[in-house]
Amino acid sequence: MTDIVTAELPERSDVTPEIFSREILPAGQPVVMRGLVRDWPAVDAAADGPEAAASYLMRFDRGQPVETIFGDPRIKGKFFYDEDMQKVNFSKRAVPLGLSLDAILQRVERPDDGTIYIQSVETEKFLPGFAAEHPIPHVPDGIAPRIWIGNQLTVQTHFDLSQNIAGVIAGRRRFTLFPPEQLSNLYVGPFELTLAGPPISMVRLDDPDYDKYPRFREALKHARSAVLEPGDAIYIPYFWWHHVESLTNFNILLNFWWSESGEELGSPFDALLHSILAIRDLPPHERSAWEAMFNQYVFEHNGSAVAHLPEHAQGALGPHTPDMKRRLWVTIAQAIGRTAALLNGGGPKRR
C-alpha cells in the first residue's frame, strides 16, 4: 500500500461472548479481538506451514468444485475493473478444492505466477465437519462459517449487509475500515458490474488519485486499520466499508456473517433500488416531498409518526405483526406486478 496514514483500530484481548454481547456489539464499532481464535485446530496446523494447513483442510474435502478466482500476474493480486470498466480484471471458474489448493501452494515460492483466490466457500456444504471443530460462541447459534483461501491479494473496499466476525487462520492481513457515513467520500462504483456482489469504492488505497477523488482525503480522516496475525479476529459491524489486503503468500480466513433482522423484512438494498427508480428522477418539488415522507415514516426524524393515533388505526405505520408483514408484501408484489405489466404493454396506468 502507499504511505497513507490511518488511525488504528481499537483492540481487545480475552473477549468473552458476554463481553462481546454486552459491550462490543451494542457499540456498533469495529474491534480487533487479539487471540480470539488461537485455539482453533486449523490455526495450530497452519503454524507448521502452508502444506500442513492444506493437508488439514483436505481432511474435510469431498471433492466438490468451489468458486475460484484467477488473476493474471499483471494485476499483482489487485482485483478491480479493466481500464474501460467493461469487465473485471480477473476470471472465475469452479475448480475442485484440492486442485486450487495445490495451485496456491505452488505459488508460495513463485508469487509472480498470478493470483488464486478460493472465496466465500460454505464450510457446511463443501467441508462438512470443519465448522464443528472451529466454533465461535460470540455469534448466534446456527451461523455457518465461510472460508477464504488465497495467496497475496487485495480485496477492494466494499460493505456487507450483515454483522461479521472474521478469524485469521493462516497468514497476515491488513484491514482498513471506513464508517457508513463516509459513503459520499468513497466514490462508489456501479451497482450492476461488481467484483463479488456489493458495490466497491473506486479509490485504490495503494495509489489514491486525489485529483480524481478529492473527497477521499476526508474519508481517510475517519479510516481505521490494523494488521491481524494468525489467531486474531476482527468484528466488522453492519455496513462498515472494509478493504482487506493479504500480506503473505498463503492466507486462510474463516468468517461468520449474521443479520439481526429477519428475512421476512426483505433486502434494504432492493428497497434502495426501487426508491432510485421511483423517486430519484421526480421533479425537485415532488422529490422534496418524498424526502419529508421518508424522514417522517421510515427514519422517524421526529419520533414516532403514529403516536397520536390509536393502536387499531395505525395499520402499516404501526408495529408489524407477521400477518401485517405478509399483507404488506402481497401489496408490494401486486404493485410491482402492475408496473411490470404496464412496461410490457399491458395493464392499467398508475394512478
Side-chain angles (χ1 to χ4, degrees):
M1 245 170 41
T2 189
D3 295 330
I4 64 170
V5 178
T6 66
E8 294 183 358
L9 281 163
E11 299 183 6
R12 298 282 297 267
S13 298
D14 301 320
V15 176
T16 64
E18 291 74 22
I19 289 174
F20 182 77
S21 62
R22 287 200 318 264
E23 301 178 21
I24 295 177
L25 190 61
Q29 298 292 310
V31 176
V32 173
M33 298 177 283
R34 296 292 183 190
L36 187 76
V37 298
R38 59 175 170 257
D39 294 330
W40 278 352
V43 174
D44 185 57
D48 293 328
E51 292 81 5
S55 295
Y56 180 82
L57 290 178
M58 290 304 295
R59 286 177 42 200
F60 305 92
D61 179 47
R62 296 298 178 267
Q64 299 184 68
V66 297
E67 183 176 84
T68 306
I69 293 178
F70 296 86
D72 187 274
R74 290 172 294 182
I75 73 170
K76 298 181 179 179
K78 297 167 184 174
F79 298 132
F80 204 64
Y81 296 102
D82 63 3
E83 290 186 1
D84 59 2
M85 288 192 63
Q86 293 294 314
K87 58 183 184 297
V88 296
N89 66 356
F90 55 87
S91 62
K92 294 181 184 180
R93 63 179 183 269
V95 179
L97 177 65
L99 293 181
S100 292
L101 273 175
D102 287 343
I104 293 170
L105 291 174
Q106 291 169 11
R107 286 161 174 77
V108 170
E109 302 300 330
R110 303 200 311 267
D112 294 336
D113 285 359
T115 308
I116 298 181
Y117 192 30
I118 305 168
Q119 66 162 5
S120 193
V121 172
E122 300 175 62
T123 56
E124 281 194 347
K125 180 177 179 181
F126 296 96
L127 298 171
F130 183 87
E133 294 192 10
H134 299 81
I136 185 164
H138 302 65
V139 304
D141 293 338
I143 302 300
R146 294 171 178 262
I147 198 165
W148 313 68
I149 312 165
N151 49 3
Q152 196 162 353
L153 56 93
T154 299
V155 176
Q156 186 63 6
T157 310
H158 65 286
F159 67 87
D160 298 311
L161 292 176
S162 59
Q163 307 276 18
N164 186 9
I165 290 181
V168 175
I169 290 174
R172 301 169 66 244
R173 294 186 184 229
R174 177 186 289 116
F175 286 80
T176 303
L177 275 62
F178 301 84
E181 58 267 23
Q182 289 304 307
L183 169 66
S184 63
N185 297 324
L186 292 174
Y187 297 92
V188 178
F191 282 9
E192 293 81 10
L193 177 63
T194 66
L195 304 192
I200 66 166
S201 168
M202 296 300 296
V203 187
R204 301 283 293 266
L205 263 64
D206 59 308
D207 188 20
D209 185 342
Y210 295 118
D211 291 332
K212 190 173 183 179
Y213 308 116
R215 293 195 309 274
F216 187 66
R217 292 184 186 275
E218 179 64 24
L220 282 176
K221 294 178 183 178
H222 304 271
R224 309 173 195 177
S225 63
V227 173
L228 271 65
E229 307 283 346
D232 294 336
I234 184 171
Y235 165 58
I236 303 176
Y238 181 93
F239 222 120
W240 273 71
W241 295 81
H242 47 287
H243 178 280
V244 187
E245 184 182 10
S246 301
L247 303 175
T248 48
N249 287 332
F250 185 79
N251 301 272
I252 305 176
L253 182 86
L254 191 71
N255 91 296
F256 299 77
W257 278 320
W258 77 97
S259 175
E260 295 179 305
S261 60
E263 292 184 356
E264 73 278 3
L265 298 182
S267 168
F269 196 82
D270 292 343
L272 173 65
L273 291 176
H274 193 181
S275 298
I276 291 172
L277 179 63
I279 296 173
R280 187 196 62 189
D281 296 331
L282 291 174
H285 66 282
E286 294 185 15
R287 191 169 61 180
S288 294
W290 281 105
E291 180 180 10
M293 290 283 280
F294 271 69
N295 286 339
Q296 178 75 357
Y297 292 110
V298 178
F299 301 109
E300 296 187 326
H301 283 187
N302 301 305
S304 172
V306 293
H308 59 286
L309 296 176
E311 186 174 339
H312 70 270
Q314 293 177 1
L317 302 177
H320 291 165
T321 64
D323 183 62
M324 174 62 74
K325 292 175 184 176
R326 181 190 63 79
R327 286 188 282 123
L328 283 172
W329 276 116
V330 169
T331 300
I332 292 168
Q334 290 173 343
I336 292 174
R338 287 194 297 270
T339 303
L342 176 64
L343 293 174
N344 288 326
K349 292 184 178 180
R350 184 180 67 176
R351 292 185 295 176

